[in-house]
Amino acid sequence: MADIKKIKARVRTADVPNAGTHGWVYLGIAGREFLLNAADTSAGLERGDNWTFVLGEDSNVENPSRNDPRRPQLDTDDLDRFPTYLRLEPDGHRPAWCLERVWVTVNPESDFPHTFDNPRLADFGEHRRLWLAQECGKQLFLKRYNP
């Protein structure tokens, strides 16, 4: 059992036509949902983009104090009590998103980091991508990964 001080979510958008989105992207973990990318920002998740979103210490997301796993303090015990997922809330003129890869690491600089992944997206190719949209589903669940 340890306090969650930092969460890193590495997200890669596919490099295919219309893959980028200006929708809202959320991470659900340890019983909370956090906003990673807001629809009203100029920096959407563009085709071929690789982003590392950081929550907690050294945060780089909008509204860092409202998207902080230390407020209220979350604990690593909750990582297995609640599902971990990435969710798109479609919005704007480009609501769909083609996700190619996502990894989430809790307390990445600690001696015992916790990593979540979806191994079905672990390689490149047409059958290793996932479209998220209102008409085809908006969530991807992740499972614990033990390297």
Side-chain angles (χ1 to χ4, degrees):
M1 161 167 100
D3 288 347
I4 295 176
K5 296 177 182 177
K6 180 186 279 191
I7 301 171
K8 281 188 176 181
R10 295 176 19 207
V11 177
R12 183 169 60 218
T13 299
D15 191 5
V16 297
N18 303 310
T21 187
H22 280 197
W24 300 79
V25 178
Y26 296 90
L27 172 67
I29 192 165
R32 281 224 18 227
E33 191 170 73
F34 300 96
L35 177 64
L36 298 181
N37 195 60
D40 58 356
T41 64
S42 60
L45 293 168
E46 301 298 332
R47 176 181 176 170
D49 273 354
N50 285 292
W51 282 88
T52 299
F53 297 100
V54 180
L55 303 160
E57 292 176 354
D58 305 318
S59 179
N60 67 353
V61 298
E62 287 192 45
N63 298 310
S65 65
R66 292 184 179 182
N67 290 286
D68 190 334
R70 301 168 298 175
R71 295 180 183 173
Q73 182 64 63
L74 298 182
D75 190 278
T76 57
D77 278 354
D78 292 325
L79 294 173
D80 292 323
R81 291 188 176 116
F82 301 97
T84 299
Y85 61 89
L86 195 68
R87 180 173 72 85
L88 171 71
E89 191 57 44
D91 191 29
H93 68 281
R94 292 188 327 180
W97 181 32
C98 189
L99 174 65
E100 189 163 71
R101 198 73 172 97
V102 59
W103 306 266
V104 175
T105 306
V106 175
N107 294 341
E109 288 92 19
S110 73
D111 291 338
F112 302 103
H114 302 265
T115 303
F116 296 83
D117 188 6
N118 189 307
R120 287 166 184 83
L121 301 179
D123 204 355
F124 291 100
E126 182 178 341
H127 299 292
R128 298 290 186 162
R129 299 182 196 119
L130 178 65
W131 281 95
L132 298 171
Q134 192 71 35
E135 65 273 7
C136 59
K138 301 187 292 185
Q139 285 184 313
L140 174 68
F141 288 87
L142 307 175
K143 66 181 184 178
R144 187 181 287 277
Y145 171 75
N146 296 316

